[in-house]
């Protein structure tokens, strides 16, 4: 079993109990880690609060990454309370619906920029703020999707955004490796979450994925959590810069 005893981690992106970030946080806690969590805003807080309690989180803070001061306040609180950080999960994405539902060809510049900022550049900001707290090394993880490298019906502008996120993962891994900071992107198969419900035709996508995957089943948030917890552990000390598929093998199929 993965052991994260004594490790302290920040989880960004829990909206509810279906969130990939929640599946990961559960696995981290079960492996013995101490957690700091965030919620998007006042509307999200009542959904995240009971989950934070069940995870015995040491900190629960607001964080909309569009507000730099909120992200900075999260890392300030961690600096004050813990003085260090061992891992961060960045599990968030957003695109305005009218752009998400349009052909990429018709995407607005503002919508594309917003999707890139929240879903990709925020990971760069997270890395920058985490670096000084990871003097003993650490692990940064984000969450991507196969639509980055293949054209997946309905994924539209999120394809190029996730491609940028995967490239960002590799460049961060190269830049931070010298400090013992490892960087990965998890690539789960389709999962029924709030974010996924914004994609047109998502139910069909899930059905197709399950039928096509070599293991003939879908992906659960517990599967993602188990892999993510392992990557945070000392047993994964030689791994960095990876796109880690957890999709019942879907990515190898035509
Ligand atoms: P989710 O809706 O549970 O989580 C998305 C999170 O993004 C929410 O917690 C939301 O608050 C957060 N978020 C959106 N805008 C934000 C902002 N401005 N500041 C801070 N947080 C913000 O859905 P999920 O599926 O768990 O999504 C998590 C990640 O997993 C996303 O990057 C998504 O693209 C990725 N992913 C999802 C699937 C899937 O099928 N569900 C597959 C592969 C990758």
């Amino acid at each position: 079993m993965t052991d994260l005893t004594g490790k302290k981690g920040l989880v960004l992106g829990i909206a509810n109990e279906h969130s990939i970030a929640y599946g990961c946080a559960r696995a981290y806690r079960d492996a013995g880690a101490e957690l700091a969590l965030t919620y998007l805003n006042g509307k999200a807080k009542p959904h995240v609060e009971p989950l934070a309690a069940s995870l015995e989180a040491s900190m629960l803070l607001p964080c909309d990454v569009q507000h730099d001061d909120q992200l900075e306040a999260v890392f300030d609180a961690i600096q004050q309370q813990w003085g260090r950080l061992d891992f961060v999960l960045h599990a968030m994405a957003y695109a305005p619906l009218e752009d998400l539902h349009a052909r990429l060809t018709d995407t607005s510049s503002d919508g594309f920029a917003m999707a890139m900022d929240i879903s990709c550049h925020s990971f760069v900001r997270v890395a920058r703020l985490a670096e000084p707290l990871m003097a003993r090394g650490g692990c940064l993880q984000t969450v991507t999707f196969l639509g980055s490298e293949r054209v997946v019906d309905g994924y539209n502008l999120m394809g190029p955004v996730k491609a940028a996120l995967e490239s960002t993962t590799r460049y961060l891994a190269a830049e931070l490796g010298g400090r013992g900071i490892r960087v990965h992107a998890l690539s789960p198969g389709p999962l029924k979450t709030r974010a996924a419900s914004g994609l047109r035709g998502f139910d069909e996508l899930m059905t197709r994925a399950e039928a096509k995957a070599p293991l003939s089943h879908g992906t659960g948030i517990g599967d993602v959590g188990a892999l993510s917890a392992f990557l945070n552990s000392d047993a994964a000390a030689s791994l960095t810069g990876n796109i880690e598929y957890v999709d019942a093998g879907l990515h190898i199929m035509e």
Side-chain angles (χ1 to χ4, degrees), residues 38-173:
T38 64
Y39 56 89
L40 179 61
N41 52 30
K43 213 172 134 196
K45 190 178 179 187
H47 300 281
V48 183
E49 246 167 357
L51 303 176
S54 80
L55 293 163
E56 301 165 293
S58 307
M59 287 173 251
L60 176 63
L61 301 157
C63 183
D64 180 333
V65 294
Q66 287 192 286
H67 302 292
D68 276 346
D69 55 332
Q70 291 188 10
L71 192 59
E72 282 159 17
V74 169
F75 283 89
D76 283 349
I78 289 171
Q79 164 66 47
Q80 276 166 30
Q81 203 161 316
W82 288 342
R84 59 169 245 263
L85 191 58
D86 296 299
F87 61 86
V88 184
L89 176 72
H90 168 278
M92 67 183 73
Y94 179 81
L97 271 192
E98 63 273 26
D99 290 294
L100 184 61
H101 291 163
R103 300 186 307 167
L104 175 64
T105 316
D106 300 321
T107 306
S108 72
S109 168
D110 285 351
F112 192 90
M114 191 179 194
M116 276 294 254
D117 182 66
I118 295 174
S119 318
C120 180
H121 189 267
S122 63
F123 189 44
V124 176
R125 302 199 282 281
V126 164
R128 185 163 56 236
L129 290 164
E131 184 182 8
L133 289 168
M134 292 185 163
R136 310 191 319 189
C139 186
L140 306 172
Q141 295 180 43
T142 186
V143 193
T144 183
F145 182 59
L146 192 58
S148 61
E149 55 187 277
R150 309 252 179 99
V151 174
V152 172
D153 253 2
Y155 207 55
N156 304 337
L157 92 159
M158 286 311 293
V161 169
K162 291 297 194 188
L165 182 65
E166 292 178 14
S167 182
T168 296
T169 298
R170 288 185 283 272
Y171 276 84
L172 290 175

Side-chain angles (χ1 to χ4, degrees), residues 168-187:
T168 296
T169 298
R170 288 185 283 272
Y171 276 84
L172 290 175
E175 290 177 4
L176 301 176
R179 304 196 54 156
I181 300 174
R182 300 176 295 107
V183 190
H184 296 289
L186 306 163
S187 186

